[in-house]
Amino acid sequence: MRWPLFVIALIIGFILWDRFENDGTYTAEIERSFHEASLDMPGGWKPPVITFNRDMLKH
């Protein structure tokens, strides 16, 4: 149980350090990298859409 908590603490520490000391430089680069990788995927990138199934709302 200690290792997962240690890893989570490291990740949170990195995010806080990046946010306050580097103005989010590293996390912005990671987000850009994920976005570019999603563009290379077969479906491309599509914005998330929330839909409701109206049949389930009828009772």
Side-chain angles (χ1 to χ4, degrees), residues 10-31:
L10 280 177
I11 292 170
I12 291 172
F14 171 77
I15 291 171
L16 290 174
W17 169 77
D18 183 50
R19 175 72 181 126
F20 293 114
E21 295 296 323
N22 294 322
D23 296 325
T25 303
Y26 291 108
T27 51
E29 185 66 26
I30 292 170
E31 289 176 11

Side-chain angles (χ1 to χ4, degrees), residues 2-3 9 15 22 35 53 58:
R2 290 181 185 168
W3 281 107
I15 291 171
N22 294 322
H35 182 71
N53 187 351
K58 297 177 184 175

